Amino acid sequence: MESADLREELTCSICLSIYTDPVTLSCGHNFCLGCIESVLGTQERSGVYTCPQCRETFNTKPKLQRNITLCNIVINLHPTQPENRETGIFCTYCVHSPVPAVKSCLHCEASLCDTHLRVHSKSEEHVLTEPTTSWGNRKCSIHKELLKYYCSKDAACICVSCSLAGEHRGHQVELLNEASEKKKKKLRNVLQKLTTKREKTEKRVQSLQEHRRGVQEKAAGVTERLTALIRDIRKQLEDLEKRVLSDITRQQEQALLTISDLIKQLEKEKNELTRKICHIEELYNMTDPLTVLQEQESHRDDFCGAEKGDNDVTQRGDKQVLARGDLDEGLISVTLYRGLADIVTDIKRGLFVQVTDTLLDINTAQNKVIVSGDLKTASYTDIDQQRPDTPERFTYYLQVLSTRIFSSGRHYWDVETSNSGYWRVGVCYPSMMRTGDNSGIGDNDKSWCVDSDCDLLHNTIENSLDPPLSCYRVGILLDYEAGRLSFYELCDPIRHLHTYTETFTEPLHAAFGVDDAWVRIMS
């Protein structure tokens, strides 16, 4: 009796049966000749061949080397069709002891060993197949005849009687082998398409994985940079706090010293006044008129001087208190403002974008658009401003552009809008028309904007915002080289509205439109 380990060593990993005509690949693994040729045939369309067992890849179809040693072992171990033992199907006619079947007759519905096969009928109606016990699915359920044909119209396997007299009479039929080959051809085409689609999907997965790694790396870099920036801001704020508090302490000490000196001076004057008061009270209480009168004459100048000196001291003390005896809140405010301004300047240098100081160009403003004195606000009026005609002035839509144009870099500005009327904010090329139906911001291929109706507009194409705007402040971020124009709603939290991706071919103006409304540049 053969051992289980030996049987495992002699088993093909494809068909799981004892080797039939074993061959070896260059990687050293063995297979039945028929099994490995079938697998390599399916791989031929892709041009890449792999070992079914170890998955080693071959650029060309590998050569099959017949394994003589295995062949001899298999023949010696099972001299008569050893693979039939693996089927578990035995000869129908060997009733005394189970003998493995080598064929089955579909007509007789019986399995045959070598001995009974030699005496079996050789007529055409006795169709022989590999050993099987599944008879029902190979015969017509109506006529109990073998299924020999395929009806193309009904996509069914039929027998001769079905074709000649049954429900498939007159239909186009073909032999099962022919129909099977046609179906296999279609399956090969489907398989090729699915394989191609799978390869494309794998490439997309790889691309997305690379993109995911890129996003993670970029996020890590941005996080590190912002952490350093905020850490620096925190340190600068702490330094500014120490500087301002130190200035307050210094001013307090100086003021208290001035007040203390003044208090000492006033205490000294008070003591002198007390002495004089006592002397005058003594004089007042004297009964001798001559003494009183003589004493009055000698102190007349002192009395006048004391009265005048009192006024001078009082006025001088008040001025000193006002000048040096109080905190200079103006100086503290200036120190704080300049310190914060320096920090903001440093922050701007550390940002990824340039916060742009954008101004309105009154030479482009339509005559019913009012531009404020600081060139930051545009608002509607029904009074014609009677401005001179210029080629760059809008004459149809109530619009105005920025004085500055953006031809490189990353820029940001934000706009506050009215909660009534109609407005548009965005960007446009200098070559955008200034008159006519197509001169509105977003109504042509030279401008992009968002409006108060919660629409994104470009080249007359509208895309509605969902959800709509919930506040009246919009941020605009332009990355010229990257061709990205992004709109943000500046609520809490800030919401990204939309990003246009374009290849900009001209410099860009910030653009604003107002109709019974106003907009103000905040940055």
Side-chain angles (χ1 to χ4, degrees):
M1 175 180 279
E2 64 186 271
S3 66
D5 291 340
L6 181 58
R7 180 179 295 276
E8 184 177 351
E9 290 295 328
L10 298 176
T11 299
C12 174
S13 61
I14 298 177
C15 65
L16 303 179
S17 299
I18 300 298
Y19 288 122
T20 300
D21 197 9
V23 295
T24 305
L25 294 178
S26 59
C27 59
H29 292 106
N30 303 297
F31 306 94
C32 298
L33 176 61
C35 294
I36 190 61
E37 282 186 336
S38 177
V39 171
L40 296 177
T42 60
Q43 296 176 348
E44 187 174 4
R45 289 181 296 275
S46 64
V48 178
Y49 304 90
T50 57
C51 171
Q53 193 161 339
C54 68
R55 314 307 297 176
E56 181 176 340
T57 302
F58 309 98
N59 294 327
T60 59
K61 187 174 182 179
K63 294 181 180 181
L64 304 176
Q65 184 69 34
R66 193 165 186 267
N67 194 320
I68 303 298
T69 303
L70 276 181
C71 287
N72 292 334
I73 294 174
V74 171
I75 291 172
N76 293 331
L77 187 63
H78 300 289
T80 57
Q81 302 295 333
E83 66 278 6
N84 293 332
R85 293 182 181 270
E86 298 299 322
T87 65
I89 300 173
F90 301 97
C91 179
T92 304
Y93 303 109
C94 295
V95 295
H96 298 291
S97 62
V99 178
V102 295
K103 294 291 181 181
S104 291
C105 177
L106 300 181
H107 180 74
C108 301
E109 296 187 2
S111 297
L112 311 167
C113 64
D114 277 332
T115 302
H116 288 98
L117 180 61
R118 285 194 290 271
V119 298
H120 190 72
S121 174
K122 301 297 188 294
S123 62
E124 292 184 359
E125 62 181 356
H126 292 271
V127 179
L128 298 176
T129 68
E130 295 301 314
T132 182
T133 56
S134 302
W135 314 106
N137 62 353
R138 293 180 176 272
K139 287 189 174 183
C140 176
S141 60
I142 299 175
H143 303 101
K144 306 304 178 184
E145 297 178 6
L146 288 176
L147 301 174
K148 292 186 176 182
Y149 301 101
Y150 179 76
C151 176
S152 302
K153 180 178 180 181
D154 299 324
C157 296
I158 61 175
C159 65
V160 176
S161 298
C162 289
S163 174
L164 297 177
E167 59 179 301
H168 300 279
R169 183 177 60 183
H171 294 179
Q172 181 179 356
V173 299
E174 52 188 338
L175 293 174
L176 292 181
N177 288 340
E178 296 175 355
S180 175
E181 288 302 319
K182 289 182 179 180
K183 186 172 182 179
K184 286 182 178 180
K185 185 177 180 180
K186 292 181 180 178
L187 290 175
R188 281 195 296 271
N189 293 333
V190 173
L191 181 61
Q192 184 175 3
K193 291 179 180 179
L194 292 177
T195 302
T196 302
K197 188 174 182 179
R198 183 181 65 182
E199 291 174 353
K200 291 181 179 179
T201 303
E202 289 176 351
K203 290 180 180 179
R204 289 184 62 194
V205 170
Q206 292 176 356
S207 176
L208 289 174
Q209 289 174 341
E210 292 176 359
H211 182 65
R212 179 174 61 185
R213 287 193 296 270
V215 170
Q216 291 172 337
E217 292 173 359
K218 185 175 182 180
V222 172
T223 299
E224 182 179 359
R225 182 176 176 183
L226 287 181
T227 300
L229 177 63
I230 292 173
R231 189 187 305 117
D232 183 59
I233 293 171
R234 188 180 295 115
K235 184 179 183 305
Q236 291 187 64
L237 285 173
E238 290 173 354
D239 293 342
L240 177 61
E241 179 186 19
K242 292 178 181 178
R243 189 163 68 251
V244 173
L245 293 179
S246 176
D247 192 29
I248 293 174
T249 301
R250 180 184 58 78
Q251 287 195 42
Q252 173 184 295
E253 292 175 351
Q254 182 178 353
L256 294 179
L257 181 61
T258 300
I259 294 172
S260 297
D261 290 343
L262 185 58
I263 289 173
K264 290 179 181 179
Q265 182 179 351
L266 291 176
E267 288 286 350
K268 183 178 179 181
E269 292 180 1
K270 185 185 74 172
N271 293 333
E272 179 66 21
L273 290 173
T274 300
R275 185 189 62 77
K276 290 181 179 181
I277 289 172
C278 291
H279 178 71
I280 293 173
E281 286 178 347
E282 290 178 359
L283 183 64
Y284 177 77
N285 292 325
M286 286 183 179
T287 58
D288 183 7
L290 181 62
T291 304
V292 174
L293 292 175
Q294 289 176 343
E295 195 69 30
Q296 181 181 8
E297 291 294 332
S298 61
H299 289 84
R300 179 180 299 172
D301 293 338
D302 292 338
F303 295 156
C304 294
E307 185 177 357
K308 182 179 180 181
D310 289 343
N311 292 332
D312 291 342
V313 169
T314 301
Q315 292 176 2
R316 185 170 64 253
D318 290 344
K319 289 180 180 179
Q320 288 179 344
V321 170
L322 291 175
R324 295 189 298 166
D326 199 1
L327 293 181
D328 188 348
E329 294 187 30
L331 178 60
I332 296 171
S333 298
V334 170
T335 302
L336 183 61
Y337 172 79
R338 290 308 312 162
L340 291 174
D342 291 341
I343 293 174
V344 170
T345 300
D346 290 340
I347 293 173
K348 289 181 178 180
R349 283 197 295 265
L351 291 177
F352 301 99
V353 297
Q354 179 181 353
V355 180
T356 305
D357 187 17
T358 304
L359 301 176
L360 300 175
D361 184 0
I362 197 169
N363 291 324
T364 65
Q366 205 266 1
N367 277 330
K368 289 190 176 182
V369 174
I370 296 177
V371 176
S372 62
D374 61 357
L375 304 180
K376 291 284 189 177
T377 302
S379 56
Y380 167 79
T381 178
D382 57 359
I383 301 174
D384 194 305
Q385 299 300 298
Q386 300 294 323
R387 300 188 183 104
D389 291 336
T390 57
E392 60 268 24
R393 187 177 307 285
F394 288 101
T395 60
Y396 191 80
Y397 283 102
L398 303 168
Q399 298 175 157
V400 61
L401 303 182
S402 65
T403 55
R404 183 171 181 175
I405 60 174
F406 310 102
S407 57
S408 63
R410 304 180 71 185
H411 304 272
Y412 173 81
W413 63 96
D414 57 69
V415 181
E416 185 179 2
T417 67
S418 61
N419 58 7
S420 61
Y422 179 77
W423 51 261
R424 292 183 182 184
V425 294
V427 298
C428 73
Y429 290 148
S431 62
M432 186 180 78
M433 291 186 297
R434 307 306 168 96
T435 187
D437 292 341
N438 295 327
S439 61
I441 308 168
D443 293 337
N444 49 70
D445 62 356
K446 297 179 181 291
S447 57
W448 301 258
C449 76
V450 62
D451 69 3
S452 55
D453 289 342
C454 302
D455 290 326
L456 293 153
L457 304 171
H458 171 61
N459 202 18
T460 70
I461 298 175
E462 295 183 2
N463 292 303
S464 298
L465 294 174
D466 186 22
L469 294 173
S470 58
C471 66
Y472 302 99
R473 193 159 178 172
V474 177
I476 302 170
L477 176 62
L478 170 65
D479 188 340
Y480 191 90
E481 281 81 5
R484 293 172 62 86
L485 175 68
S486 300
F487 294 93
Y488 300 89
E489 181 184 37
L490 303 183
C491 295
D492 189 12
I494 296 174
R495 177 167 69 105
H496 172 252
L497 299 176
H498 185 73
T499 294
Y500 285 105
T501 302
E502 303 283 344
T503 300
F504 297 124
T505 58
E506 298 181 39
L508 290 164
H509 284 287
F512 311 87
V514 289
D515 189 354
D516 200 20
W518 57 265
V519 296
R520 178 166 179 79
I521 304 169
M522 302 304 297
S523 56

